[in-house]
Amino acid sequence: GGASCPSLLLEPSRTNLVTQSEYFGDSYWTKSGTSVTSGFTSPEGLSNAYKLVEDTSSGFHRLYSGIVSTIVSNTYTTSVYAKAGERNWVFIEGPSGYTAYFDLTNGVKGTIAGGTATITPMGNGWYRCTLNWVAQSSNTRHFVYTATSDGLNSYIGDGTSGLYIYGATIEAGSYPTSYIPTYGTSASRAVDNGYKALPDSILGADYNEGTLFFEAELNQEAITRAVSIVSPFWTTSSVRIECTPSTGLFACDIVNAGVGATGTTISVSPLSKGDTIKCALAWNNGSFVFYANGQSTSGTCPIMTTKINNLYLNRLGTFGGGGNYASNDFKQVLAFPTALTNAELAALTTI
Protein backbone atom coordinates (compact mmCIF):
# COMPACT_ATOMS: atom_id res chain seq x y z
CA GLY A 1 0.00 0.00 0.00
CA GLY A 2 2.97 2.37 -0.34
CA ALA A 3 3.27 5.29 -2.72
CA SER A 4 4.77 3.07 -5.43
CA CYS A 5 1.93 0.54 -5.23
CA PRO A 6 -0.56 0.58 -8.11
CA SER A 7 -4.20 1.23 -7.24
CA LEU A 8 -7.59 0.81 -8.88
CA LEU A 9 -9.95 3.77 -9.02
CA LEU A 10 -13.64 2.79 -9.18
CA GLU A 11 -16.12 5.57 -9.79
CA PRO A 12 -19.89 6.07 -9.75
CA SER A 13 -21.95 6.86 -12.81
CA ARG A 14 -21.71 10.55 -13.72
CA THR A 15 -22.79 12.84 -16.58
CA ASN A 16 -20.88 15.83 -17.93
CA LEU A 17 -23.58 18.44 -18.44
CA VAL A 18 -21.29 20.69 -20.50
CA THR A 19 -21.99 19.66 -24.10
CA GLN A 20 -18.75 20.99 -25.65
CA SER A 21 -16.05 20.17 -23.15
CA GLU A 22 -13.03 20.76 -25.43
CA TYR A 23 -14.02 22.76 -28.50
CA PHE A 24 -13.90 26.26 -27.01
CA GLY A 25 -14.02 27.75 -30.52
CA ASP A 26 -17.62 26.57 -30.87
CA SER A 27 -20.52 29.03 -30.56
CA TYR A 28 -21.57 27.09 -27.45
CA TRP A 29 -18.84 29.10 -25.69
CA THR A 30 -19.42 32.87 -25.60
CA LYS A 31 -16.23 34.95 -25.53
CA SER A 32 -16.49 38.24 -23.70
CA GLY A 33 -13.35 40.35 -23.68
CA THR A 34 -11.43 37.32 -24.98
CA SER A 35 -10.69 35.18 -28.00
CA VAL A 36 -9.44 31.59 -28.22
CA THR A 37 -6.67 29.95 -30.23
CA SER A 38 -6.46 26.19 -30.79
CA GLY A 39 -3.62 23.72 -31.26
CA PHE A 40 -1.90 23.55 -27.88
CA THR A 41 -0.89 20.37 -26.06
CA SER A 42 -3.48 19.24 -23.51
CA PRO A 43 -2.97 17.07 -20.40
CA GLU A 44 -3.68 13.99 -22.55
CA GLY A 45 -0.78 14.84 -24.84
CA LEU A 46 -2.85 15.83 -27.89
CA SER A 47 -3.06 19.20 -29.66
CA ASN A 48 -6.60 19.83 -28.43
CA ALA A 49 -6.11 22.52 -25.80
CA TYR A 50 -6.92 26.20 -26.34
CA LYS A 51 -5.38 29.47 -25.28
CA LEU A 52 -7.77 32.00 -23.78
CA VAL A 53 -6.45 35.42 -24.80
CA GLU A 54 -7.64 38.75 -23.37
CA ASP A 55 -8.46 41.71 -25.62
CA THR A 56 -7.61 45.36 -24.87
CA SER A 57 -10.92 46.25 -23.24
CA SER A 58 -11.40 47.30 -19.63
CA GLY A 59 -13.43 44.83 -17.57
CA PHE A 60 -13.88 41.08 -17.44
CA HIS A 61 -11.99 38.78 -19.80
CA ARG A 62 -13.85 35.50 -19.86
CA LEU A 63 -15.73 32.83 -21.74
CA TYR A 64 -18.86 31.02 -20.65
CA SER A 65 -20.83 28.00 -21.75
CA GLY A 66 -24.35 27.59 -22.99
CA ILE A 67 -27.09 27.03 -20.44
CA VAL A 68 -26.80 23.89 -18.31
CA SER A 69 -29.97 22.52 -16.70
CA THR A 70 -29.75 21.95 -12.96
CA ILE A 71 -32.04 20.99 -10.07
CA VAL A 72 -32.54 23.65 -7.42
CA SER A 73 -30.78 22.87 -4.09
CA ASN A 74 -28.77 19.98 -5.57
CA THR A 75 -24.97 20.02 -5.35
CA TYR A 76 -22.81 20.23 -8.47
CA THR A 77 -19.10 20.42 -9.25
CA THR A 78 -17.56 22.59 -11.98
CA SER A 79 -14.07 21.82 -13.24
CA VAL A 80 -11.62 22.90 -15.93
CA TYR A 81 -8.01 22.06 -16.72
CA ALA A 82 -5.86 25.20 -16.84
CA LYS A 83 -2.21 26.09 -17.39
CA ALA A 84 -0.43 29.39 -16.88
CA GLY A 85 0.48 31.53 -19.86
CA GLU A 86 1.24 35.21 -19.52
CA ARG A 87 -1.59 35.18 -16.95
CA ASN A 88 -1.06 32.76 -14.11
CA TRP A 89 -4.36 33.21 -12.29
CA VAL A 90 -7.64 31.66 -13.43
CA PHE A 91 -11.03 32.48 -11.94
CA ILE A 92 -14.00 30.05 -12.00
CA GLU A 93 -17.53 31.19 -11.35
CA GLY A 94 -20.61 29.11 -10.62
CA PRO A 95 -24.06 30.41 -9.64
CA SER A 96 -24.26 33.69 -7.73
CA GLY A 97 -22.01 33.60 -4.68
CA TYR A 98 -19.82 30.66 -5.74
CA THR A 99 -16.37 31.61 -7.03
CA ALA A 100 -12.73 30.55 -6.78
CA TYR A 101 -9.31 31.87 -7.81
CA PHE A 102 -6.43 29.51 -8.64
CA ASP A 103 -2.70 30.24 -8.87
CA LEU A 104 -1.45 28.26 -11.87
CA THR A 105 2.22 28.98 -11.22
CA ASN A 106 2.35 27.68 -7.65
CA GLY A 107 -0.57 25.27 -7.85
CA VAL A 108 -2.50 26.70 -4.93
CA LYS A 109 -5.99 28.03 -4.31
CA GLY A 110 -6.67 31.71 -3.84
CA THR A 111 -9.85 33.34 -2.57
CA ILE A 112 -12.88 31.05 -2.50
CA ALA A 113 -16.47 32.13 -1.94
CA GLY A 114 -19.54 29.99 -1.36
CA GLY A 115 -18.43 26.41 -2.02
CA THR A 116 -15.23 24.43 -1.74
CA ALA A 117 -12.48 24.18 -4.33
CA THR A 118 -9.56 21.93 -5.26
CA ILE A 119 -6.51 22.27 -7.50
CA THR A 120 -4.78 19.08 -8.64
CA PRO A 121 -1.52 18.88 -10.64
CA MET A 122 -1.87 16.97 -13.90
CA GLY A 123 1.68 17.25 -15.22
CA ASN A 124 3.44 19.59 -17.66
CA GLY A 125 2.16 22.68 -15.84
CA TRP A 126 -1.50 21.69 -16.07
CA TYR A 127 -3.89 21.75 -13.11
CA ARG A 128 -7.45 20.56 -12.72
CA CYS A 129 -9.37 23.31 -10.91
CA THR A 130 -12.72 22.46 -9.34
CA LEU A 131 -15.48 24.32 -7.51
CA ASN A 132 -18.59 22.78 -5.98
CA TRP A 133 -21.79 24.69 -5.46
CA VAL A 134 -25.51 24.39 -4.76
CA ALA A 135 -27.89 25.17 -7.63
CA GLN A 136 -29.86 28.38 -7.09
CA SER A 137 -32.12 27.96 -10.14
CA SER A 138 -32.95 25.45 -12.86
CA ASN A 139 -30.05 26.51 -15.09
CA THR A 140 -26.48 27.78 -14.89
CA ARG A 141 -23.35 28.25 -17.01
CA HIS A 142 -19.64 27.40 -16.81
CA PHE A 143 -17.56 30.62 -16.49
CA VAL A 144 -13.77 30.83 -16.89
CA TYR A 145 -11.91 34.16 -16.49
CA THR A 146 -8.33 35.26 -16.84
CA ALA A 147 -7.11 37.17 -13.78
CA THR A 148 -4.03 39.20 -12.94
CA SER A 149 -3.86 38.21 -9.27
CA ASP A 150 -5.91 36.75 -6.45
CA GLY A 151 -9.17 38.70 -6.28
CA LEU A 152 -8.59 40.75 -9.46
CA ASN A 153 -10.45 39.58 -12.57
CA SER A 154 -11.51 42.98 -13.97
CA TYR A 155 -8.72 44.97 -15.61
CA ILE A 156 -7.48 46.55 -18.87
CA GLY A 157 -6.21 43.77 -21.12
CA ASP A 158 -3.09 44.02 -23.27
CA GLY A 159 -4.47 42.10 -26.25
CA THR A 160 -1.92 39.26 -26.14
CA SER A 161 -1.78 37.77 -22.64
CA GLY A 162 -3.73 34.72 -21.59
CA LEU A 163 -3.73 31.16 -20.24
CA TYR A 164 -4.44 27.65 -21.53
CA ILE A 165 -7.67 25.68 -20.95
CA TYR A 166 -8.98 22.20 -21.62
CA GLY A 167 -11.72 19.80 -20.50
CA ALA A 168 -14.62 21.72 -18.94
CA THR A 169 -17.17 19.78 -16.88
CA ILE A 170 -20.22 20.27 -14.70
CA GLU A 171 -21.28 17.14 -12.78
CA ALA A 172 -24.06 16.50 -10.29
CA GLY A 173 -22.22 15.63 -7.08
CA SER A 174 -20.04 17.08 -4.35
CA TYR A 175 -16.71 15.98 -5.82
CA PRO A 176 -15.28 15.64 -9.34
CA THR A 177 -14.79 12.31 -11.06
CA SER A 178 -12.36 11.58 -13.87
CA TYR A 179 -12.84 13.66 -17.00
CA ILE A 180 -15.80 12.86 -19.30
CA PRO A 181 -15.29 14.43 -22.77
CA THR A 182 -18.27 15.74 -24.73
CA TYR A 183 -18.60 16.70 -28.38
CA GLY A 184 -21.96 18.37 -28.96
CA THR A 185 -24.11 16.63 -26.37
CA SER A 186 -23.84 15.64 -22.72
CA ALA A 187 -22.11 12.32 -22.04
CA SER A 188 -22.29 9.81 -19.22
CA ARG A 189 -19.96 7.21 -17.79
CA ALA A 190 -21.39 3.99 -16.35
CA VAL A 191 -20.53 2.93 -12.83
CA ASP A 192 -17.18 1.13 -12.58
CA ASN A 193 -17.07 -2.42 -11.25
CA GLY A 194 -13.87 -4.33 -10.65
CA TYR A 195 -14.02 -8.08 -11.34
CA LYS A 196 -11.54 -10.92 -11.05
CA ALA A 197 -12.10 -14.67 -11.45
CA LEU A 198 -10.04 -16.39 -8.78
CA PRO A 199 -8.36 -19.77 -9.38
CA ASP A 200 -8.78 -22.55 -6.82
CA SER A 201 -5.22 -21.93 -5.67
CA ILE A 202 -6.27 -18.58 -4.16
CA LEU A 203 -9.12 -19.59 -1.85
CA GLY A 204 -8.60 -23.34 -1.84
CA ALA A 205 -10.69 -26.14 -3.30
CA ASP A 206 -13.43 -26.33 -0.64
CA TYR A 207 -13.90 -22.58 0.08
CA ASN A 208 -14.65 -23.42 3.71
CA GLU A 209 -11.67 -21.44 4.95
CA GLY A 210 -10.14 -18.19 3.81
CA THR A 211 -9.45 -14.51 4.41
CA LEU A 212 -10.49 -11.48 2.40
CA PHE A 213 -8.76 -8.11 2.98
CA PHE A 214 -8.85 -4.69 1.35
CA GLU A 215 -7.37 -1.27 1.91
CA ALA A 216 -8.94 1.75 0.21
CA GLU A 217 -9.00 5.51 0.37
CA LEU A 218 -12.46 7.01 0.59
CA ASN A 219 -12.73 9.12 -2.55
CA GLN A 220 -16.08 10.72 -1.81
CA GLU A 221 -17.80 12.92 0.73
CA ALA A 222 -19.15 11.36 3.93
CA ILE A 223 -22.51 10.29 2.55
CA THR A 224 -24.23 6.94 2.92
CA ARG A 225 -22.73 4.64 0.32
CA ALA A 226 -21.17 1.20 0.45
CA VAL A 227 -17.88 -0.29 -0.59
CA SER A 228 -18.02 -4.03 -1.18
CA ILE A 229 -15.85 -6.97 -2.07
CA VAL A 230 -17.98 -9.92 -3.15
CA SER A 231 -17.38 -13.53 -4.13
CA PRO A 232 -19.41 -14.31 -6.19
CA PHE A 233 -23.05 -13.08 -6.33
CA TRP A 234 -24.46 -12.25 -2.92
CA THR A 235 -27.86 -13.87 -3.59
CA THR A 236 -26.29 -17.35 -3.89
CA SER A 237 -23.04 -17.73 -1.99
CA SER A 238 -20.73 -14.92 -1.02
CA VAL A 239 -18.25 -13.40 1.35
CA ARG A 240 -18.58 -9.61 1.37
CA ILE A 241 -17.54 -6.52 3.27
CA GLU A 242 -19.35 -3.17 3.21
CA CYS A 243 -18.97 0.29 4.70
CA THR A 244 -21.28 3.23 5.24
CA PRO A 245 -18.82 6.14 5.58
CA SER A 246 -21.11 8.77 7.10
CA THR A 247 -21.83 6.62 10.16
CA GLY A 248 -18.56 4.69 10.32
CA LEU A 249 -20.53 1.44 10.14
CA PHE A 250 -18.79 -1.61 8.65
CA ALA A 251 -20.67 -4.83 7.90
CA CYS A 252 -19.81 -8.34 6.75
CA ASP A 253 -21.97 -11.08 5.23
CA ILE A 254 -21.15 -14.76 4.71
CA VAL A 255 -23.78 -16.62 2.69
CA ASN A 256 -23.80 -20.25 1.52
CA ALA A 257 -26.50 -21.41 -0.92
CA GLY A 258 -28.75 -18.52 0.08
CA VAL A 259 -28.40 -19.03 3.85
CA GLY A 260 -25.98 -17.14 6.01
CA ALA A 261 -24.85 -14.73 8.67
CA THR A 262 -25.62 -11.23 7.40
CA GLY A 263 -25.30 -7.71 8.70
CA THR A 264 -22.70 -8.31 11.43
CA THR A 265 -21.41 -4.80 12.08
CA ILE A 266 -18.57 -2.82 13.61
CA SER A 267 -18.92 0.89 14.41
CA VAL A 268 -15.95 3.24 14.17
CA SER A 269 -15.74 7.03 13.93
CA PRO A 270 -17.60 8.56 10.93
CA LEU A 271 -15.39 8.73 7.84
CA SER A 272 -14.70 11.57 5.45
CA LYS A 273 -13.21 11.94 2.00
CA GLY A 274 -9.52 11.00 2.06
CA ASP A 275 -9.81 8.65 5.06
CA THR A 276 -8.33 5.15 4.89
CA ILE A 277 -10.44 2.01 5.17
CA LYS A 278 -8.86 -1.34 6.12
CA CYS A 279 -11.07 -4.40 6.49
CA ALA A 280 -10.40 -8.13 6.84
CA LEU A 281 -12.81 -11.03 7.12
CA ALA A 282 -11.56 -14.53 8.01
CA TRP A 283 -13.79 -17.61 8.06
CA ASN A 284 -13.11 -21.23 8.99
CA ASN A 285 -15.47 -24.20 9.40
CA GLY A 286 -18.55 -22.28 10.57
CA SER A 287 -17.00 -19.35 12.44
CA PHE A 288 -15.65 -15.95 11.40
CA VAL A 289 -13.64 -13.00 12.66
CA PHE A 290 -14.18 -9.53 11.19
CA TYR A 291 -11.79 -6.58 11.59
CA ALA A 292 -12.39 -3.00 10.43
CA ASN A 293 -9.82 -0.23 11.04
CA GLY A 294 -8.38 -2.19 13.95
CA GLN A 295 -11.65 -3.04 15.71
CA SER A 296 -13.11 -6.54 15.66
CA THR A 297 -16.11 -8.79 16.13
CA SER A 298 -16.69 -12.50 15.64
CA GLY A 299 -19.50 -15.03 15.27
CA THR A 300 -20.81 -18.14 13.58
CA CYS A 301 -21.49 -18.57 9.88
CA PRO A 302 -22.49 -21.32 7.44
CA ILE A 303 -19.99 -23.96 6.43
CA MET A 304 -19.17 -23.02 2.85
CA THR A 305 -20.09 -25.83 0.47
CA THR A 306 -20.62 -23.76 -2.67
CA LYS A 307 -17.78 -22.60 -4.88
CA ILE A 308 -16.99 -18.90 -4.50
CA ASN A 309 -14.43 -17.70 -7.00
CA ASN A 310 -15.54 -14.35 -8.43
CA LEU A 311 -14.11 -11.27 -6.74
CA TYR A 312 -15.98 -7.98 -7.22
CA LEU A 313 -14.93 -4.53 -6.07
CA ASN A 314 -17.57 -1.84 -5.62
CA ARG A 315 -20.27 -4.29 -6.63
CA LEU A 316 -23.04 -3.75 -4.11
CA GLY A 317 -24.95 -0.82 -2.71
CA THR A 318 -25.86 0.09 0.85
CA PHE A 319 -26.55 -2.68 3.35
CA GLY A 320 -29.05 -5.14 1.95
CA GLY A 321 -29.44 -3.69 -1.52
CA GLY A 322 -27.91 -2.51 -4.75
CA GLY A 323 -28.06 0.68 -6.74
CA ASN A 324 -25.71 2.95 -4.79
CA TYR A 325 -22.07 2.76 -5.75
CA ALA A 326 -19.13 4.15 -3.86
CA SER A 327 -16.11 5.83 -5.37
CA ASN A 328 -12.97 4.54 -3.75
CA ASP A 329 -9.30 4.18 -4.57
CA PHE A 330 -8.41 0.58 -3.78
CA LYS A 331 -4.80 0.29 -2.62
CA GLN A 332 -4.72 -3.44 -1.83
CA VAL A 333 -7.06 -6.39 -2.26
CA LEU A 334 -5.84 -9.71 -0.87
CA ALA A 335 -7.42 -13.17 -0.71
CA PHE A 336 -5.88 -16.05 1.28
CA PRO A 337 -6.78 -19.78 1.30
CA THR A 338 -6.44 -19.91 5.10
CA ALA A 339 -7.97 -17.99 7.97
CA LEU A 340 -5.38 -15.57 9.32
CA THR A 341 -4.88 -15.30 13.07
CA ASN A 342 -6.42 -12.48 15.08
CA ALA A 343 -2.99 -10.95 15.53
CA GLU A 344 -2.41 -10.99 11.78
CA LEU A 345 -5.85 -9.49 11.11
CA ALA A 346 -5.26 -6.75 13.66
CA ALA A 347 -1.88 -5.92 12.11
CA LEU A 348 -3.41 -5.74 8.62
CA THR A 349 -6.27 -3.44 9.60
CA THR A 350 -4.87 -1.10 12.25
CA ILE A 351 -4.76 2.49 10.96
Side-chain angles (χ1 to χ4, degrees):
S4 61
C5 245
S7 63
L8 176 63
L9 174 63
L10 300 175
E11 298 186 294
S13 177
R14 285 287 182 88
T15 298
N16 185 1
L17 302 174
V18 173
T19 60
Q20 283 284 5
S21 64
E22 298 175 10
Y23 184 23
F24 294 104
D26 190 77
S27 60
Y28 176 80
W29 290 96
T30 299
K31 294 74 170 176
S32 176
T34 58
S35 61
V36 293
T37 305
S38 63
F40 298 92
T41 303
S42 74
E44 62 175 324
L46 302 177
S47 298
N48 55 352
Y50 278 73
K51 187 174 184 181
L52 181 63
V53 181
E54 64 196 37
D55 64 15
T56 57
S57 65
S58 177
F60 297 128
H61 303 277
R62 63 184 183 176
L63 84 168
Y64 55 89
S65 72
I67 291 175
V68 173
S69 296
T70 55
I71 299 174
V72 176
S73 298
N74 280 14
T75 300
Y76 294 82
T77 299
T78 292
S79 73
V80 69
Y81 296 82
K83 179 179 178 178
E86 297 80 15
R87 300 301 181 197
N88 64 341
W89 284 86
V90 66
F91 175 74
I92 296 177
E93 183 178 22
S96 177
Y98 293 90
T99 61
Y101 285 87
F102 301 91
D103 179 348
L104 301 175
T105 296
N106 298 303
V108 297
K109 296 176 287 186
T111 301
I112 301 164
T116 58
T118 65
I119 181 168
T120 305
M122 305 304 296
N124 197 30
W126 285 95
Y127 294 91
R128 193 181 191 191
C129 304
T130 76
L131 172 68
N132 71 18
W133 42 271
V134 177
Q136 310 297 301
S137 66
S138 59
N139 57 72
T140 190
R141 297 180 188 269
H142 192 311
F143 289 87
V144 181
Y145 296 67
T146 60
T148 57
S149 62
D150 187 18
L152 185 56
N153 66 341
S154 179
Y155 59 92
I156 299 174
D158 62 18
T160 58
S161 294
L163 52 84
Y164 303 95
I165 54 174
Y166 169 79
T169 70
I170 293 179
E171 305 174 57
S174 58
Y175 61 94
T177 59
S178 57
Y179 173 56
I180 304 171
T182 60
Y183 308 102
T185 185
S186 60
S188 299
R189 179 190 52 246
V191 65
D192 293 330
N193 292 307
Y195 165 79
K196 175 71 174 178
L198 300 177
D200 287 347
S201 60
I202 299 295
L203 285 179
D206 61 6
Y207 303 97
N208 192 36
E209 179 182 3
T211 301
L212 201 54
F213 164 79
F214 76 86
E215 177 185 359
E217 179 181 315
L218 191 64
N219 191 18
Q220 61 175 15
E221 299 299 332
I223 56 179
T224 302
R225 289 289 187 270
V227 52
S228 305
I229 299 180
V230 184
S231 298
F233 298 104
W234 72 274
T235 53
T236 53
S237 297
S238 64
V239 175
R240 60 176 175 161
I241 304 170
E242 298 183 351
C243 169
T244 301
S246 61
T247 61
L249 188 66
F250 292 82
C252 71
D253 296 344
I254 299 177
V255 179
N256 180 70
V259 177
T262 61
T264 300
T265 61
I266 298 173
S267 293
V268 301
S269 299
L271 302 170
S272 301
K273 180 178 177 181
D275 286 347
T276 295
I277 304 168
K278 291 184 178 182
C279 290
L281 175 60
W283 67 99
N284 185 12
N285 198 33
S287 63
F288 72 90
V289 180
F290 179 38
Y291 275 77
N293 283 14
Q295 300 189 40
S296 67
T297 188
S298 60
T300 59
C301 64
I303 294 175
M304 300 299 291
T305 60
T306 306
K307 187 174 185 178
I308 51 172
N309 67 336
N310 297 306
L311 178 67
Y312 290 92
L313 309 184
N314 215 34
R315 181 67 179 179
L316 299 180
T318 51
F319 300 144
N324 289 325
Y325 292 88
S327 171
N328 296 289
D329 191 348
F330 284 87
K331 305 297 185 182
Q332 297 185 80
V333 181
L334 305 175
F336 302 91
T338 59
L340 300 184
T341 66
N342 285 9
E344 290 170 329
L345 296 171
L348 273 177
T349 61
T350 299
I351 301 297

